[in-house]
Amino acid sequence: YHKNIFRGGEWLSLGFNGNFQWKPGTSTRANEFGVSAGLSFPRFLGLPYRFFKGQIIPRTDIQLSLNYQDRPEFERWISSGSFGYTRNSGHFLYQIYPLRATVVRVSRMSEQFLEVLLKNRYLWDSFYDHIDAGVGATFYWTTDASLLPRDSFHYTRVQTDFSGNLISLFNPLLPKDLVGDPLLFGLPYSRYVRVAVDRGRTIRFRDESSLALRLSAGAGYALGSQLSMPFEKQFFVGGASSMRGWQSRALGPGDSQIVDYFTIPSQTGDYKLEVGAEYRRKFFWKFEAAVFAEAGNVWSYEKYSNWLSTIAADWGVGLRLNLDFILLRLDWGIKLYEPSRDEGSRWLTPAQWVQSGGSALHFGIGYPF
């Protein structure tokens, strides 16, 4: 990270990330590696300073990234680029990207997984080679912008994506594939709208304890001839910061069983709803203890109209190490209501909590919400 790379207040950032998953006792592995680069200018490129009031001028951001995924079912590359504007006044942040694009190419696919795609049009539409190009925006407002707030605060985050809508105006001019769908640079392009909203509140008490509440909701809809959004844009729950009774992407959609065509679970849906509450209290020294409860799931439009009956629930306990500049946490999430079980046995008993699949252990950095 360099905050003055060209000696004019320009920020240069380089990032690397990796993910390694495995199933104990088997040879199943999954790897993911990525690199990213960003350049931020301390001005709004395209407009002079007189268009803005105050001392906080929007910054212009250019970002590029390349991600490689190697799973038992497939191997693919995801390259992304965006151009947009960011303004952060402390309590209010907005990021508007009038131009963003992602190219997804699958370089390897197992024969078994290909057979599944050919039989499932919904899954095929979320997993083919494509270009995802459009506009996006994020709006975030908080009453306390501190890294680890010490007083009561609340926040709201809204994220929007509109993909392929402007490109579709030029369909008559674009080349077509064998079935007549338009191509952009030789690849089909995605068309969808997607909105996600997070609302959170943390209440601090005098005895150094606190109560954190969160509501998270999102919905997306594929447009044109496509049945689903791209796989990487679909919603999921489970993991270190969402429905902690389940591993990441291991819940839903609705009452569905975990599908067998993904060796490592990748359950996703078109829309989601999740609520959570967590009570935190200082334990000793810099350690904190927590008790939490959550409810939610993801669903797909084509199957779940009675989604209320398939809302999952969990509870759990956690231990955190608060070093002021960073917070490390360990959470044990326990399933209460699992909609994928047969009706009549969805509420788990205490004896089932300690059985295989009755709970999940998570390590995280920072509070979950």
Side-chain angles (χ1 to χ4, degrees), residues 317-352:
V317 294
L319 181 66
R320 289 81 195 280
L321 176 61
N322 189 342
L323 299 176
D324 296 327
F325 66 93
I326 192 173
L327 182 138
L328 307 177
R329 62 184 170 90
L330 185 66
D331 290 329
W332 181 34
I334 302 168
K335 296 178 182 178
L336 279 176
Y337 183 81
E338 188 170 13
S340 64
R341 293 173 177 258
D342 294 333
E343 292 189 23
S345 60
R346 293 179 173 179
W347 289 101
L348 276 69
T349 64
Q352 293 173 307

Side-chain angles (χ1 to χ4, degrees), residues 103-234:
V103 178
V104 178
R105 299 299 299 262
V106 179
S107 56
R108 176 186 59 80
M109 186 176 294
S110 68
E111 292 184 4
Q112 296 85 350
F113 190 58
L114 178 58
E115 290 178 2
V116 171
L117 293 183
L118 294 175
K119 296 176 183 178
N120 188 332
R121 170 69 191 279
Y122 181 86
L123 188 62
W124 176 270
D125 279 353
S126 68
F127 225 88
Y128 60 99
D129 291 355
H130 65 275
I131 294 179
D132 180 354
V135 299
T138 297
F139 304 93
Y140 178 76
W141 180 80
T142 180
T143 58
D144 192 332
S146 305
L147 182 62
L148 294 173
R150 298 182 179 277
D151 299 315
S152 297
F153 73 100
H154 53 91
Y155 67 87
T156 301
R157 179 187 294 106
V158 179
Q159 296 175 298
T160 61
D161 273 309
F162 302 91
S163 183
N165 301 296
L166 293 177
I167 299 174
S168 63
L169 299 177
F170 300 93
N171 279 354
L173 304 177
L174 296 175
K176 306 295 190 296
D177 61 13
L178 295 178
V179 296
D181 290 333
L183 300 175
L184 184 65
F185 303 114
L187 290 173
Y189 65 87
S190 301
R191 287 189 63 195
Y192 63 88
V193 294
R194 184 183 188 273
V195 179
V197 180
D198 288 282
R199 174 73 173 149
R201 182 178 182 86
T202 297
I203 304 170
R204 301 285 183 182
F205 304 111
R206 293 183 178 179
D207 59 355
E208 296 189 54
S209 64
S210 63
L211 176 65
L213 307 170
R214 179 179 65 171
L215 168 65
S216 179
Y221 192 78
L223 303 173
S225 61
Q226 296 166 354
L227 297 180
S228 64
M229 295 185 296
F231 182 74
E232 60 275 5
K233 289 293 184 177
Q234 294 177 16

